[in-house]
Amino acid sequence: MNTERPEKIAIEYDDYHARHIGRTGDGRQFFLTTPFEPAYPNREGCEYIALFLFDLDGTLIESRVDTLGPRATLDADACREKYESRLNELGEVDFQRIEVKPFAINHNVSRWG
């Protein structure tokens, strides 16, 4: 069994789950997604918008994460506007497969602590 960490991970573009993945006009790679923390009986959960930017070699260079709050209290129009705003920040893009190096970020780490 190979337990080595991969050098890069390919993320395939598709028009459903991964429709906002690709390259910016200057060649940076990106993906825009909506991660979440599930709600549990003792936690309300949280929704996010996350834009990850990578250099040409696939190294994470920036993450922009917006905390939206619990799903039950979301304003759908405001969320859609914020998502579109993040996408528009990128300028001209080409949606396509990207290859990025494994990464991790910490966001809202004290929320449950």
Side-chain angles (χ1 to χ4, degrees):
M1 171 187 254
N2 185 355
T3 58
E4 290 184 31
R5 181 174 135 173
E7 286 186 37
K8 291 187 182 178
I9 299 167
I11 305 173
E12 296 288 343
Y13 165 83
D14 70 40
D15 60 2
Y16 185 66
H17 290 292
R19 68 178 188 248
H20 294 129
I21 292 173
R23 291 190 180 265
T24 63
D26 62 6
R28 291 175 296 160
Q29 300 180 88
F30 73 92
F31 73 92
L32 180 61
T33 187
T34 54
F36 65 95
E37 295 174 31
Y40 292 104
N42 60 339
R43 290 197 313 198
E44 60 187 2
C46 194
E47 303 290 319
Y48 303 91
I49 295 170
L51 174 61
F52 301 103
L53 295 165
F54 306 86
D55 66 15
L56 298 172
D57 193 41
T59 301
L60 180 69
I61 55 174
E62 185 178 354
S63 61
R64 302 173 190 165
V65 181
D66 301 294
T67 302
L68 304 174
R71 184 175 292 178
T73 62
L74 290 180
D75 176 335
D77 291 333
C79 292
R80 191 172 19 269
E81 285 176 23
K82 185 61 170 176
Y83 188 93
E84 291 298 320
S85 174
R86 287 287 182 212
L87 186 59
N88 291 334
E89 289 172 11
L90 299 171
E92 291 293 320
V93 296
D94 183 22
F95 298 117
Q96 61 179 278
R97 169 189 164 128
I98 62 173
E99 292 185 12
V100 300
K101 294 178 182 176
F103 71 97
I105 66 163
N106 289 321
H107 180 78
N108 242 6
V109 293
S110 65
R111 183 175 168 82
W112 309 115

